[in-house]
Amino acid sequence: MAETITLATYNANSVRARLPLIQKWLEEYEPDVLCLQETKVRDEDFPSDGFRDVGYHVVFRGQKSYNGVAIASKEELQDVSRKFRDDEFDEQARYLAGTFRGVRIVNTYVPQGRAIDSDKYQYKLKWLSYLKQHFADIADDWERLVWMGDMNVAPDERDVSDADKKKKHVCFHKDARKALHDIMDLGFSDVFRKHVEEGEHYTFWDYRVPNALKRGLGWRIDLILAMGEFADKCKSVKIHRKYREMEKPSDHTFFCVHFELNDGE
């Protein structure tokens, strides 16, 4: 029998506000690993008990009111790392990594960027360039490497509604897309696109856009990317749109993929 692993990602937009929804999803789908972004909570206030109550270990790196990342897993993660640099540039809680059954999982909450002419957009591009160097440094260390999270970049025109109107948006501007693809060119594959070629499959619908969900005005910016031949082990993908339709949802929804770790021999 083939050994399998199910991985998922979700921008919670406050883990405490969304905890009941997260618990419901974990109990319904029972993934091996769930990466969370935008947890918006200091480490001392993280609701660890809520994850233990539904059978999950959890590691996290947070800060008050902004950013924050966490990884929930059925077994304890090994080799946990909370930073990818050793300087003040990595002071924001946007990176968390750990190993689960031999799979190195990197969870990121990429900066949004605010506006093209802002310092925050330049910070986003610089952050991605540093992340590229980090992956170049570690890629040979891991036979099974997965990068996942809220990338705050839509890879191509299939991944946004009204693409022509979004070319100057910080999450679709050509420079942001180039920065994402420069990292992917190290050997990462977008596993969703291995199974689904057509557009209009989204993971994020902006609260500020009236009836965005009903009108199909969304973005696919929550991604799971696998390095090298490991990407071919991904056997299925699913965006759980119904959780964006529930009461008090995040503006994102859960995205889940299924890997076979061996050939079953």
Side-chain angles (χ1 to χ4, degrees):
M1 181 181 293
E3 181 184 3
T4 64
I5 184 173
T6 302
L7 308 178
T9 186
Y10 179 58
N11 179 314
N13 194 7
S14 175
V15 67
R16 290 184 290 184
R18 236 58 67 190
L19 185 60
L21 202 66
I22 294 169
Q23 290 174 316
K24 177 179 175 63
W25 187 85
L26 288 172
E27 290 180 314
E28 182 174 359
Y29 292 101
E30 299 183 331
D32 294 294
V33 177
L34 171 63
C35 288
L36 298 165
Q37 305 85 40
E38 208 171 357
T39 55
K40 294 184 176 180
V41 62
R42 298 178 300 177
D43 287 351
E44 56 266 38
D45 298 323
F46 191 92
S48 302
D49 289 347
F51 289 86
R52 285 194 287 266
D53 289 346
V54 292
Y56 284 82
H57 303 270
V58 64
V59 296
F60 41 85
R61 181 187 177 203
Q63 60 188 91
K64 186 178 180 180
S65 301
Y66 297 98
N67 307 324
V69 281
I71 305 177
S73 54
K74 285 186 174 180
E75 303 167 12
E76 287 191 44
L77 293 179
Q78 305 299 311
D79 303 315
V80 173
S81 177
R82 289 173 169 81
K83 291 189 175 185
F84 67 96
R85 288 176 63 87
D86 293 323
D87 60 25
E88 67 277 5
F89 179 80
D90 194 30
E91 65 187 8
Q92 296 185 11
R94 295 184 176 276
Y95 176 97
L96 184 62
T99 304
F100 184 92
R101 297 183 194 167
V103 179
R104 186 63 174 175
I105 296 166
V106 175
N107 175 22
T108 63
Y109 177 45
V110 174
Q112 196 262 358
R114 184 170 292 181
I116 295 298
D117 59 354
S118 72
D119 291 343
K120 291 185 181 297
Y121 184 62
Q122 295 306 312
Y123 178 88
K124 173 180 188 169
L125 297 179
K126 192 171 185 178
W127 195 94
L128 285 167
S129 73
Y130 284 161
L131 185 65
K132 176 185 175 182
Q133 184 58 55
H134 172 68
F135 280 129
D137 290 342
I138 71 168
D140 291 340
D141 297 336
W142 303 98
E143 182 179 351
R144 298 166 173 172
L145 175 61
V146 177
W147 172 30
M148 53 202 294
D150 179 356
M151 309 307 184
N152 265 317
V153 183
D156 64 49
E157 292 188 356
R158 293 172 294 176
D159 301 313
V160 293
S161 56
D162 298 326
D164 287 342
K165 296 180 181 179
K166 292 185 169 67
K167 290 183 177 179
K168 293 185 179 181
H169 193 288
V170 291
C171 295
F172 196 61
H173 188 268
K174 62 181 181 179
D175 293 339
R177 284 187 284 155
K178 182 180 185 302
L180 173 65
H181 286 285
D182 281 350
I183 300 176
M184 293 176 65
D185 285 346
L186 294 173
F188 283 108
S189 295
D190 181 349
V191 296
F192 182 80
R193 287 296 173 213
K194 284 185 168 290
H195 296 272
V196 182
E197 293 186 0
E198 69 271 13
E200 300 184 3
H201 293 273
Y202 306 129
T203 60
F204 164 72
W205 298 263
D206 196 332
Y207 288 143
R208 297 167 296 184
V209 177
N211 297 312
L213 188 65
K214 292 181 180 179
R215 295 164 63 197
L217 303 179
W219 299 70
R220 191 177 71 93
I221 55 177
D222 304 273
L223 309 178
I224 297 179
L225 310 171
M227 178 67 81
E229 294 180 358
F230 187 56
D232 295 331
K233 301 289 187 180
C234 180
K235 302 304 180 182
S236 65
V237 300
K238 185 174 178 61
I239 295 171
H240 294 261
R241 178 189 166 106
K242 72 176 185 178
Y243 274 78
R244 179 62 174 82
E245 300 169 345
M246 292 185 177
E247 187 177 356
K248 297 182 179 179
S250 169
D251 41 3
H252 296 248
T253 198
F254 297 88
F255 171 46
C256 186
V257 306
H258 179 82
F259 287 88
E260 288 187 1
L261 299 185
N262 55 41
D263 57 13
E265 295 180 357

